[in-house]
Amino acid sequence: MSRQPSGTITLLFTDIEGSTDLVRRLGDSRYARVLMEHRRLLRTICRREGGEEIGHQGDGLFVTFARVEDAVRAAVAAQRAILEHAWPDGIVPRVRMGIHTGEPASEAGELVGLDLHRAARICAAGHGGQILLSAAAATVIQEDPAASIVLRGLGSHRLRDLPQPERIFQTLHPDLPDNFPPLRSADAAPNNLPARQSSFVGRDRELAEIEHLLSTTSTLTLTGIGGSGKTRLAIETARELVEALPDGAWLVELGALADGGLVLNTVASALNVRAGPASTLEETLLEYLRPRTLLLILDNCEHLAAACATFVSIITRSCPAVRVLATSREALNVPGEVVWPVPSLSLPASGDGAPLDELMEYEAPRLFIERAAAVRPGFAPTSHDAQAIAAICRRLDGIPLAIELAAARVPVLSVGQIATRLDERFRLLTGGSRTAAPRQRTLRGALDWSYDLLSPKERALLRRVAVFAGGSTLEGCEAICAGKGIDSSDVLDLLTQLIAKSLVVMETHGEQVRYRMLETVREYGAERLVEANESASIRSRHRDWYLMLAEQAEAQLGGAEQVAWLRRLQSEYDNLRAALEWSRSDEGTAGAGMRLALGLWQFWYVRGDFSEGRMWLETMLRRHLVPDALRAKVLGQAGFLAWRQGDYAGAADLGTEGLAIFRGLDDAAGMGGALYLLGNVAFYQGDLARAKTLLLESLARRRAAGDKRPIAISLNSLGEVARAEGDYRTARAAYEESLALAREAGDQRGAATATGNLGYVALQEGDAERAARLLREGLASAKQLVHKLGIAGYLAGLAGAAGLAREHPRAARLIGATRTLLRALGASLTTPDRSQYESTLEATRAALGDEMISQLIEEGAAMTLEQAVDYALARNG
């Protein structure tokens, strides 16, 4: 592709008319020869006249010229050459051409902007053999007294994708035909489609799918919440199809109607049909539509759904060539109807830090930027704005109306300020077009319209479902949202109705079905919940439901079902966070917040979320000061996470306070846990003697309590102390007993830990093969659990096994992966593991040299967690 021209240039677009029919008549290979010969002719002539080919698409070419006269001369010469050429099979391709003069912009080496679209649309409006000019190009010709080019004015025409009508001219030449059918413009086919007032962004895939569906069904209903773009998408579909519909496309706006009996009258008015003296309006309308091929758009049917359904059933039964495209927040439920939910505009992934040019690949940010530029001329977002724009679009769920309303604030707020103020989105997102219906001027108006159409029970459920963060199961909805007018048995039917009305979304995750709202709808529902004076009671029920879930999980996270429970907690974590937030603000129930946080500590530990877990546990400790068993347990688990963070002093303080409470309660199991924590703190501080004393007492207390899993845990830590002392025989015995007890208790995590530690013993005894086998076994279990700290330990051990086997590049990559994971967790290895890790690092450096090991460590550090685990589990690499 050549260097792009700049400044004022003339654009020539060409296209073969009826190319699909030619392919059908000639076959692929013969048509390919015609296409290549056609391109050769055009390219030769355009180059001769000073043209520069910018590209080609389908059957056409795109060429730029410095002067209009050159472009017209090239077009005339090309048409003459096409007529004079000896074509295979005697079939002459009919080529239409469009010429426009403008100043297109250049972005990333490509011409962009409305001038390109204008030239392409002028070309598409013509017929084979015809050369058309825009008003801008024609003016240059007409103002040049020396020009010998003759033009014929064809009037103003509305062209697809262009906001204003375009005056079009035809080039005349004695050697070329000059009598053509009417132009293929929106004016050529009868319609009442509104003129485009702004650009239409994206939706190419959706348009193509809707067009296909309309070719196979008589009734297609676009559904979605208010502001999702149903009307605009329907109108743009009609623009795409109108030229192929002999009797046009007709928009029937029903939003302002309050009486379903007026649907028939409104349709007739849009089509300009009047009842005759001897027939009813329905009879006259059916008589008018029966022989016609047209598209009827019924816009905003939801509040008149029954009347619209009756009308559509009559029309589609009696008028076989009429297609109905309806927009509604719920289906019409008529025979043969296809329901098509309108998706949100495409969005960057959550947390995506894509640069501005990559952001423009998504529809939602592109819409924001285009609309912002329309209200603030010269608006040009910087790379610094990209993250804020992405955040705005994500928080507004890719809803076109919401994004357009946000962009309307650009004249008075920075992009960053808009993103910050979206917590007050219903006050911020106002001020839409004064010509739009009231429900389309503000985001609240759009949702008020939907809410007002609901039954009292549907409204109540919509409000209550808003309490869920990240969606919910049916069981959760039934438990929390029933009551005060809604029976538990009603919830499924009401949810089904809200889904049908596009206010709730059903999602399937494996075998689990979840129900969620778009965040914008959820915030609206939450405001309505407050207005109904139900917020405190529903949020308390929500907290209690998730407290029950967390306490069930705590009992299971040490057993055989821990993987399933970890996944369940992950799927509900947004709700669990919301419940914790409510517990923090609900002054009357500090104990419930303590229990909720306690139920989640193992989840935080396994996932490596030490900081967040400790924050919640200590938050609840500050609210519950009673020195009881509950406080002591929370102290212990907060201390445990502090220890894993490397805050040994903080962990010791928390553990010591908890131990004192348990001693006062004479709670053997509690004392065993507190002593275990303090023993590990001493171990990590290098005080092996104190660690052994505390851990032996912990083991004794736990044996007295008789719970196998805690016994196994204390044994594992005693094995760590023995290994640090170099007593591998004692360490192995402790690990093997720990492994047996963990398996008896069904504790997959405990079994994996003991297995991995046995691998470390084999490693330190020089048995690389056995060490690698045991460490991979532990790693496979940790992968299932997504136990990140355990994964880091196994990666470090496998690096040592690779080094021992003289697989130094593999060892270096695993060292890099371990380092990245530990930094992300803010954690460290145990003393013996760290010693082994450092030994492996030095041996690998000696074998590879500084430059090579640095490169390989960087390769390992660049791996994702999943890639690192898969690499470590592979036996070669």
Side-chain angles (χ1 to χ4, degrees):
M1 188 170 288
S2 306
R3 180 182 60 83
Q4 304 305 319
S6 60
T8 301
I9 58 174
T10 297
L11 312 167
L12 168 63
F13 270 83
T14 75
D15 179 53
I16 297 178
E17 181 184 39
S19 57
T20 303
D21 184 56
L22 277 180
V23 174
R24 199 163 36 242
R25 291 165 61 190
L26 296 173
D28 290 344
S29 61
R30 286 193 295 164
Y31 176 73
R33 290 198 301 272
V34 169
L35 178 61
M36 292 302 103
E37 187 65 9
H38 142 267
R39 285 180 176 165
R40 185 189 65 77
L41 281 175
L42 265 61
R43 284 168 173 156
T44 299
I45 292 168
C46 288
R47 279 198 297 267
R48 188 181 68 208
E49 298 296 338
E52 184 176 351
E53 183 181 346
I54 300 301
H56 65 267
Q57 184 174 11
D59 308 309
L61 296 180
F62 170 26
V63 187
T64 64
F65 294 83
R67 302 191 316 150
V68 179
E69 294 91 332
D70 298 337
V72 175
R73 271 199 303 271
V76 170
Q79 293 288 17
R80 291 176 66 188
I82 290 168
L83 292 174
E84 294 167 0
H85 188 71
W87 296 96
D89 304 293
I91 295 177
V92 180
R94 293 174 52 79
V95 180
R96 51 192 174 190
M97 301 181 180
I99 297 172
H100 171 60
T101 293
E103 296 186 14
S106 178
E107 291 288 343
E110 293 187 12
L111 294 180
V112 296
L114 192 59
D115 283 321
L116 267 74
H117 292 283
R118 194 179 305 278
R121 294 300 175 231
I122 289 170
C123 174
H127 299 274
Q130 195 170 28
I131 304 169
L132 300 178
L133 278 71
S134 69
T139 299
V140 175
I141 298 292
Q142 291 166 338
E143 291 180 350
D144 183 0
S148 59
I149 299 168
V150 179
L151 302 178
R152 173 189 292 165
L154 301 181
S156 293
H157 296 264
R158 284 189 295 144
L159 303 179
R160 187 159 53 90
D161 297 332
L162 300 182
Q164 300 299 328
E166 176 70 30
R167 285 195 302 130
I168 297 179
F169 296 77
Q170 178 185 324
T171 300
L172 302 180
H173 190 278
D175 296 337
L176 301 179
D178 65 356
N179 189 20
F180 296 96
L183 297 183
R184 293 182 172 92
S185 66
D187 303 288
N191 68 87
N192 68 340
L193 302 177
R196 181 181 284 120
Q197 299 300 317
S198 59
S199 60
F200 185 65
V201 175
R203 300 292 203 190
D204 293 337
R205 180 181 58 80
E206 289 87 345
L207 284 169
E209 188 170 346
I210 293 168
E211 288 178 34
H212 170 71
L213 288 172
L214 282 172
S215 70
T216 63
T217 186
S218 59
T219 306
L220 178 64
T221 302
L222 307 184
T223 61
I225 66 165
S228 61
K230 302 182 296 296
T231 298
R232 186 69 186 269
L233 189 54
I235 291 172
E236 294 301 326
T237 300
R239 291 189 202 282
E240 295 283 339
L241 296 175
V242 68
E243 294 172 12
L245 296 167
D247 300 299
W250 302 89
L251 174 65
V252 183
E253 297 176 320
L254 302 174
L257 292 189
D259 183 353
L262 295 176
V263 169
L264 194 69
N265 302 67
T266 307
V267 174
S269 177
L271 293 167
N272 201 27
V273 172
R274 301 289 181 269
S279 59
T280 65
L281 181 59
E282 181 179 320
E283 292 169 340
T284 305
L285 186 59
L286 287 176
E287 183 179 350
Y288 175 83
L289 289 173
R290 195 170 287 116
R292 284 176 164 75
T293 300
L294 57 78
L295 177 66
L296 203 57
I297 303 171
L298 301 182
D299 189 35
N300 289 304
C301 298
E302 54 275 343
H303 61 306
L304 306 170
C308 289
T310 300
F311 170 76
V312 170
S313 296
I314 294 170
I315 292 297
T316 55
R317 189 170 57 244
S318 306
C319 309
V322 172
R323 294 288 181 267
V324 175
L325 179 57
T327 74
S328 178
R329 300 184 195 186
E330 59 182 307
L332 299 181
N333 294 319
V334 297
E337 177 187 26
V338 173
V339 179
W340 198 84
V342 174
S344 296
L345 296 174
S346 61
L347 293 162
S350 180
D352 185 28
L356 195 60
D357 57 343
E358 291 182 22
L359 201 63
M360 291 296 285
E361 296 176 9
Y362 299 95
E363 294 167 336
R366 208 159 72 239
L367 177 64
F368 179 90
I369 291 167
E370 286 199 17
R371 295 299 184 264
V375 296
R376 198 181 93 190
F379 172 75
T382 65
S383 56
H384 179 71
D385 293 326
Q387 189 171 355
I389 291 172
I392 290 167
C393 295
R394 285 196 302 270
R395 293 193 64 195
L396 295 178
D397 305 301
I399 299 172
L401 173 62
I403 291 168
E404 293 196 9
L405 292 171
R409 293 299 188 186
V410 165
V412 293
L413 294 173
S414 70
V415 173
Q417 286 175 313
I418 293 171
T420 301
R421 289 169 178 256
L422 280 181
D423 287 337
E424 303 174 342
R425 70 186 70 186
F426 295 114
R427 283 188 287 274
L428 178 69
L429 303 184
T430 61
S433 169
R434 291 189 179 91
T435 62
R439 67 183 178 280
Q440 295 170 329
R441 294 178 197 165
T442 70
L443 190 57
R444 178 177 289 282
L447 292 171
D448 283 343
W449 170 263
S450 290
Y451 188 78
D452 291 342
L453 294 174
L454 300 178
S455 69
K457 284 188 176 182
E458 290 170 341
R459 292 178 190 175
L461 187 65
L462 180 74
R463 295 192 301 265
R464 296 173 192 178
V465 169
V467 77
F468 292 102
S472 68
T473 61
L474 176 60
E475 294 76 16
C477 287
E478 289 172 334
I480 295 165
C481 300
K484 292 187 178 179
I486 297 179
D487 292 334
S488 179
S489 59
D490 294 336
V491 170
L492 179 58
D493 287 340
L494 291 170
L495 270 175
T496 303
Q497 292 163 26
L498 292 177
I499 292 168
K501 292 174 169 63
S502 307
L503 291 166
V504 171
V505 179
M506 185 188 80
E507 295 178 334
T508 303
H509 301 271
E511 296 182 358
Q512 186 186 64
V513 173
R514 292 182 68 81
Y515 304 90
R516 72 171 180 88
M517 291 174 165
L518 295 181
E519 192 59 29
T520 300
V521 180
R522 179 172 172 262
E523 184 173 321
Y524 177 86
E527 290 193 9
R528 289 291 194 170
L529 192 67
V530 172
E531 291 172 7
N533 200 28
E534 293 181 321
S535 183
S537 62
I538 294 297
R539 290 188 71 178
S540 292
R541 292 176 70 175
H542 176 272
R543 189 267 321 286
D544 293 343
W545 169 262
Y546 284 101
L547 169 59
M548 180 181 68
L549 176 70
E551 291 187 327
Q552 287 176 334
E554 185 188 21
Q556 298 294 329
L557 284 176
E561 299 298 318
Q562 57 190 272
V563 173
W565 275 96
L566 284 167
R567 288 174 181 162
R568 185 172 179 185
L569 290 178
Q570 184 62 46
S571 70
E572 295 287 7
Y573 194 47
D574 287 336
N575 280 307
L576 290 161
R577 272 195 180 126
L580 286 163
E581 287 283 1
W582 177 244
S583 298
R584 178 161 59 183
S585 61
D586 185 6
E587 293 298 331
T589 54
M594 292 275 282
R595 289 163 52 204
L596 179 57
L598 184 64
L600 292 173
W601 84 267
Q602 290 187 85
F603 173 80
W604 287 316
Y605 169 67
V606 171
R607 297 287 167 165
D609 296 328
F610 308 136
S611 179
E612 181 175 358
R614 183 181 176 187
M615 180 274 292
W616 281 117
L617 289 162
E618 291 185 346
T619 294
M620 299 309 169
L621 284 170
R622 288 192 292 272
R623 300 185 68 249
H624 182 77
L625 301 176
V626 180
D628 57 8
L630 177 60
R631 179 174 176 81
K633 288 178 183 178
V634 175
L635 283 163
Q637 307 317 340
F640 192 84
L641 296 178
W643 160 55
R644 282 306 193 186
Q645 286 182 298
D647 180 6
Y648 303 133
D653 289 344
L654 290 162
T656 300
E657 183 182 346
L659 178 61
I661 294 173
F662 281 127
R663 287 196 192 279
L665 297 171
D666 196 25
D667 183 333
M671 284 186 278
L675 288 162
Y676 168 79
L677 168 63
L678 294 170
N680 275 286
V681 169
F683 175 60
Y684 269 68
Q685 291 177 316
D687 190 342
L688 298 185
R690 175 171 167 74
K692 183 184 290 187
T693 299
L694 291 166
L695 288 169
L696 284 170
E697 186 180 352
S698 167
L699 179 62
R701 297 287 184 180
R702 284 177 160 176
R703 287 195 191 279
D707 191 340
K708 292 178 180 178
R709 181 169 180 263
I711 294 170
I713 291 171
S714 287
L715 280 166
N716 187 74
S717 288
L718 280 165
E720 293 288 88
V721 174
R723 183 155 64 93
E725 292 175 332
D727 184 355
Y728 301 137
R729 181 178 178 180
T730 299
R732 186 183 301 107
Y735 293 146
E736 285 175 348
E737 185 182 356
S738 176
L739 176 59
L741 288 170
R743 284 174 173 167
E744 288 177 24
D747 181 5
Q748 183 176 338
R749 188 170 77 250
T753 300
T755 300
N757 285 334
L758 283 168
Y760 266 107
V761 171
L763 180 63
Q764 288 165 317
E765 290 179 331
D767 190 342
E769 185 177 346
R770 184 167 186 267
R773 177 176 58 78
L774 290 167
L775 286 161
R776 283 195 186 98
E777 186 180 332
L779 179 59
S781 292
K783 177 184 177 181
Q784 272 192 305
L785 295 163
V786 197
H787 181 198
K788 294 179 183 178
L789 189 60
I791 288 171
Y794 303 129
L795 291 177
L798 285 165
L804 193 60
R806 300 187 183 278
E807 298 172 354
H808 299 299
R810 181 179 181 82
R813 292 189 185 97
L814 290 171
I815 287 169
T818 304
R819 182 180 295 176
T820 294
L821 183 52
L822 287 171
R823 284 175 178 170
L825 293 172
S828 60
L829 298 169
T830 64
T831 300
D833 293 356
R834 187 168 59 251
S835 176
Q836 177 66 51
Y837 173 84
E838 290 169 354
S839 169
T840 301
L841 176 60
E842 290 310 311
T844 305
R845 188 186 306 279
L848 297 175
D850 288 343
E851 184 175 348
M852 179 60 74
I853 193 176
S854 296
Q855 178 183 333
L856 292 167
I857 286 175
E858 285 181 12
E859 289 179 13
M863 294 181 188
T864 64
L865 178 64
E866 293 77 12
Q867 289 170 336
V869 170
D870 290 344
Y871 179 76
L873 289 173
R875 297 191 176 274
N876 298 303

